[in-house]
Amino acid sequence: CIKISLILMRRLGLRPHELDLRIGDIEVDGVDEIVVRRNLKTASARRVLRPALHMIGDEFQWFCTFFKKRRHQTLGDKEHPVFTLDPRYAKAIDFQKLARVCSKLLSTYLGEPTPLYQLRHSALSNLQLILFGDKELVELFTPYTKEQAELIKSSMNQGAQQDLLYQLSSHAGHLSQRMTLSTYCHFTD
């Protein structure tokens, strides 16, 4: 449960409180999507994300297996939280507590203060490099192959009416492209 939630933050750039997902917010049969619609900072934070594109190795299979098991445990109750410490109860994980514990673990491991939010920063910086960087740098600095990065880029390239920076900001759940550039795009000089 915690492993999957951390993977979602690292690959999709979810905020910790956006992990308060319900069974009805996720679809893995046929169309894969996660609808972020709860605990939003702003109206622009509501968005649909495609986890299969952003996950590497067996991560998407782990996610699907976990989710299908949770859906079965809840008897398909669309309002039941996806992330609970005890699947018998409809009480979501305390994501603030999770953030504190994980931040402490990350900080200890890395030897410097590292908030859990760093997973979001990393995901959005990787997307920035995929959308605007050189293909060689993508493979060097992100966990993605050139082919997977191209799939992500083409899925976010919605044509002339919506430029890639707008798509990156939308993926992040930001109203303003300025917020995305100034706070999350760490490869921008």
Side-chain angles (χ1 to χ4, degrees):
C1 168
I2 293 173
K3 177 181 178 178
I4 296 297
S5 64
L6 296 175
I7 288 171
L8 290 176
M9 286 184 67
R10 174 67 172 85
R11 300 293 178 229
L12 298 177
L14 292 177
R15 299 170 178 99
H17 62 273
E18 290 176 338
L19 289 167
D20 184 17
L21 298 165
R22 306 298 170 174
I23 296 296
D25 296 335
I26 298 175
E27 179 59 53
V28 294
D29 300 317
V31 177
D32 88 279
E33 63 182 28
I34 295 175
V35 180
V36 179
R37 63 174 127 224
R38 300 173 202 287
N39 298 321
L40 305 177
K41 285 177 77 173
T42 65
S44 61
R46 186 186 194 290
R47 59 208 188 275
V48 176
L49 302 174
R50 305 286 308 274
L53 284 172
H54 299 270
M55 292 183 176
I56 60 172
D58 293 331
E59 290 174 345
F60 186 66
Q61 185 59 45
W62 296 337
F63 171 70
C64 289
T65 300
F66 166 79
F67 176 73
K68 288 176 182 179
K69 181 179 178 182
R70 288 292 298 128
R71 186 174 57 192
H72 177 75
Q73 290 169 335
T74 66
L75 305 175
D77 178 359
K78 292 184 181 286
E79 288 304 312
H80 199 92
V82 173
F83 298 108
T84 62
L85 292 178
D86 188 335
R88 295 173 296 175
Y89 304 105
K91 184 175 181 343
I93 288 177
D94 180 340
F95 292 104
Q96 288 183 340
K97 187 182 284 185
L98 175 68
R100 284 192 303 274
V101 170
C102 289
S103 294
K104 186 174 182 179
L105 289 171
L106 284 170
S107 298
T108 300
Y109 178 75
L110 295 172
E112 59 185 66
T114 309
L116 184 63
Y117 230 77
Q118 194 61 38
L119 297 177
R120 176 172 163 79
H121 283 258
S122 178
L124 296 176
S125 290
N126 283 340
L127 276 176
Q128 175 201 9
L129 197 54
I130 288 168
L131 297 177
F132 302 106
D134 180 81
K135 290 178 183 179
E136 308 302 323
L137 293 177
V138 168
E139 267 195 327
L140 187 61
F141 291 111
T142 77
Y144 301 107
T145 63
K146 291 177 196 173
E147 295 78 20
Q148 188 175 6
E150 191 55 43
L151 285 173
I152 293 169
K153 184 175 183 175
S154 66
S155 77
M156 294 182 78
N157 191 357
Q158 300 296 314
Q161 59 180 304
Q162 302 292 338
D163 67 17
L164 288 175
L165 180 56
Y166 176 85
Q167 292 301 321
L168 178 59
S169 296
S170 178
H171 181 93
H174 292 149
L175 187 58
S176 161
Q177 295 173 8
R178 182 175 297 150
M179 170 62 83
T180 307
L181 277 173
S182 67
T183 307
Y184 292 94
C185 291
H186 298 293
F187 294 118
T188 306
D189 55 8

